[in-house]
């Protein structure tokens, strides 16, 4: 609120900023343009979508409702993006997703867990836009209902494995995400070889330079990494995309030996 007052603007009277390409008042636009989408969106989200969320709640119940929120915080970025899903009468809590314990398949002496977290609707939308900027990704990500992912690294080979389980509001939403991610894989890995293709199942073989896998940075036509004039050997990684009703499972970077046990787990 102080920031907007400093530039002569009233927070309450501020127009809807949902579809604007402009940075929030006081932001350094040149730095925003240079930053990766994940960084720039993460920085502006509280000031743009957060502001709209506050405006929505205040317009209904005044500042008293805003004060009450500190004891009843939004449970997801979905509730920020869609304030009606935060209201008590239409509250939409995300479905809790818990990945299976796969430490027997990826033992700690050989594998290190790098990250385990939730993507949420916001980051799903950012991910889709990163690879398909012309697609109306917000219509797809709006069907998000819950997820959890884990990223593992092989201590010896530096192989990266991503396991990501998502659930969606409806089967239609899950199907739309499945179809969108199917297109994303082709762009992320540059025409990977399709090993198996069914209506709700995809299996690819993607060849990427050793140590450069599906997470976190996509390969965008760069030449293989070179060290001391020598090209590192390449390794083949499998990418799985599978849908069951409202659930979509994604596993990237696994070997043939890990395919069946990881999928079953």
């Amino acid at each position: 609120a102080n920031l907007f007052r400093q530039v002569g603007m009233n927070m309450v009277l501020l127009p809807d900023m949902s579809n604007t390409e402009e940075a929030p008042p006081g932001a350094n636009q040149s730095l925003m343009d240079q930053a990766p989408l994940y960084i720039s969106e993460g920085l502006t989200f509280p000031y743009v979508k957060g502001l709209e969320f506050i405006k929505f709640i205040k317009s209904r119940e005044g500042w008293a409702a805003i004060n009450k929120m500190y004891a009843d915080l939004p449970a997801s970025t979905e509730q920020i993006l869609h304030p009606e899903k935060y209201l008590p009468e239409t509250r939409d809590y995300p479905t809790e997703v818990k990945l299976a314990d796969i430490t027997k398949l990826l033992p700690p002496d050989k594998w290190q867990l790098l990250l385990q977290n939730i993507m949420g609707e916001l980051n799903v939308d950012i991910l889709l836009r990163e690879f398909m900027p012309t697609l109306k990704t917000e219509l797809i990500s709006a069907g998000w209902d819950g997820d959890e992912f884990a990223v593992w690294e092989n201590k010896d080979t530096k192989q990266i494995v991503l396991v990501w389980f998502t659930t969606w509001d409806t089967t239609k939403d899950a199907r739309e995400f499945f179809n969108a991610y199917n297109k994303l894989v082709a762009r992320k890995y540059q025409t990977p070889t399709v090993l198996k293709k069914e209506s709700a199942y995809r299996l690819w073989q993607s060849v990427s330079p050793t140590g450069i896998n599906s997470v976190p940075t996509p390969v965008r036509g760069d030449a293989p990494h070179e060290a001391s004039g020598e090209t590192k050997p390449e390794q083949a990684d499998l990418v799985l995309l599978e849908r069951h009703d409202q659930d979509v499972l994604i596993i990237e970077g696994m070997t043939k030996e890990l395919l069946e046990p990881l999928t079953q787990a």
Side-chain angles (χ1 to χ4, degrees), residues 51-258:
L51 174 62
E52 293 174 10
F53 175 78
I54 292 297
K55 285 176 58 183
F56 179 89
I57 301 299
K58 182 182 181 299
S59 68
R60 294 176 61 90
E61 302 179 43
W63 286 113
I66 305 300
N67 294 334
K68 289 180 181 179
M69 283 199 302
Y70 285 95
D72 184 22
L73 296 173
S76 63
T77 55
E78 177 185 47
Q79 292 182 353
I80 300 292
L81 291 165
H82 311 281
E84 69 279 0
K85 295 187 177 184
Y86 173 80
L87 297 176
E89 61 270 23
T90 53
R91 184 72 61 97
D92 183 7
Y93 286 105
T95 296
E96 182 179 3
V97 175
K98 201 66 181 174
L99 289 177
D101 183 5
I102 57 176
T103 52
K104 290 183 179 180
L105 303 175
L106 304 176
D109 61 324
K110 293 183 179 181
W111 293 86
Q112 178 183 2
L113 178 63
L114 299 181
L115 181 63
Q116 186 164 354
N117 210 329
I118 297 171
M119 287 282 283
E121 180 180 336
L122 172 65
N123 287 322
V124 169
D125 181 58
I126 292 173
L127 174 65
L128 295 177
R129 275 192 289 143
E130 177 69 30
F131 291 94
M132 295 171 288
T134 60
L135 190 67
K136 291 188 177 297
T137 57
E138 69 277 4
L139 300 180
I140 300 172
S141 58
W144 175 92
D145 193 44
D147 79 88
E148 186 173 58
F149 71 89
V151 180
W152 300 77
E153 181 183 49
N154 186 298
K155 296 179 180 179
D156 297 325
T157 66
K158 303 306 178 184
Q159 173 191 1
I160 298 292
V161 171
L162 164 70
V163 179
W164 185 20
F165 193 97
T166 69
T167 189
W168 299 80
D169 291 329
T170 66
T171 300
K172 178 178 179 291
D173 293 321
R175 189 183 300 114
E176 289 177 349
F177 175 70
F178 176 92
N179 292 335
Y181 208 90
N182 177 49
K183 297 177 182 178
L184 184 151
V185 169
R187 300 191 181 193
K188 188 175 186 179
Y189 292 98
Q190 300 178 318
T191 61
T193 302
V194 178
L195 300 180
K196 188 174 182 180
K197 179 179 180 181
E198 297 177 0
S199 60
Y201 184 96
R202 298 285 192 280
L203 181 65
W204 296 268
Q205 184 174 60
S206 65
V207 179
S208 59
T210 302
I212 302 179
N213 233 303
S214 59
V215 179
T217 305
V219 178
R220 294 180 176 274
D222 298 330
H225 178 75
E226 296 183 1
S228 303
E230 297 182 359
T231 301
K232 287 188 176 182
E234 293 185 336
Q235 64 182 25
D237 300 318
L238 298 181
V239 178
L240 170 74
L241 176 62
E242 186 172 1
R243 182 182 67 82
H244 290 279
D245 297 325
Q246 295 173 221
D247 303 328
V248 178
L249 170 66
I250 297 168
I251 306 179
E252 301 186 30
M254 61 182 169
T255 60
K256 292 182 180 179
E257 293 76 16
L258 285 173

